[in-house]
């Protein structure tokens, strides 16, 4: 801090681009919607608690979809709940992001074979940006997924569409275990 104080003590000029400033502000204040569907939500709550302290990333859960820019789908999406998930997603303002947390939300999880009542992946009803595998994923894995969302935001820009940012992210090295969805985005964009 002393070094920083010394560097910024006088008058200074910082040169950057509008893209950088806007993206930095957006990725440093991600507001996920506070809702959970099943056991994965317990891990999500633990991630928000003091041991992991998501607020140091500027990530702070909001109680309304209208004030949220990130949906973390944490848990089993039943057919009955899928309609509600769509409604909540549609109430979120753009730009909005979706992180699918855990096997149930990614692909139906342990209900894949016999769970006639479970959606086989939330990406069948809403577009997903980042999948975090696990049953349930640990808080560290969720934080890894959130950092991927931040990377995606960092690559977006006034002249760069979401699809182009996803393509750039695809070319960047991907953490093991975290898979970035692109095809579904492309499909929903067209
Ligand atoms: S993935 Fe596992 S921990 Fe998560 S909601 Fe499904 S059964 Fe529960």
């Amino acid at each position: 801090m002393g070094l920083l104080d010394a560097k910024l003590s006088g008058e200074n000029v910082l040169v950057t681009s509008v893209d950088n400033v806007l993206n930095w502000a957006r990725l440093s204040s991600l507001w996920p919607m506070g809702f959970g569907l099943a056991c994965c939500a317990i891990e999500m709550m633990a991630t928000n608690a003091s041991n992991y302290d998501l607020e140091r990333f500027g990530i702070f859960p909001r109680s309304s979809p209208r004030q949220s820019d990130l949906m973390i789908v944490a848990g089993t999406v039943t057919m009955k709940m899928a309609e509600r998930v769509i409604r909540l997603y549609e109430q979120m303002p753009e730009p909005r992001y979706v992180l699918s947390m855990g096997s149930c939300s990614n692909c139906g999880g342990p209900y894949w074979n016999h769970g006639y009542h479970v959606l086989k992946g939330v990406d069948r009803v809403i577009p997903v940006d980042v999948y975090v595998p696990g049953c349930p994923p640990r808080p560290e894995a969720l934080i890894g997924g959130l950092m991927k969302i931040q990377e995606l935001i960092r690559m977006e820009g006034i002249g760069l569409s979401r699809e182009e940012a996803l393509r750039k992210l695809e070319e960047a090295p991907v953490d093991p275990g975290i898979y970035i969805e692109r095809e579904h985005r492309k499909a929903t964009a067209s």
Side-chain angles (χ1 to χ4, degrees), residues 38-40 75-76 101-104 110-111 134-137:
C39 11
C40 273
T76 318
M101 178 184 182
S103 305
C104 279
Y111 306 100
C135 178

Side-chain angles (χ1 to χ4, degrees), residues 73-93:
V73 186
T76 318
V77 187
T78 58
M79 298 294 184
K80 195 173 174 183
M81 201 61 197
E83 278 179 38
R84 278 74 174 175
V85 171
I86 296 170
R87 179 175 298 182
L88 289 170
Y89 176 77
E90 286 175 348
Q91 288 179 348
M92 290 167 64

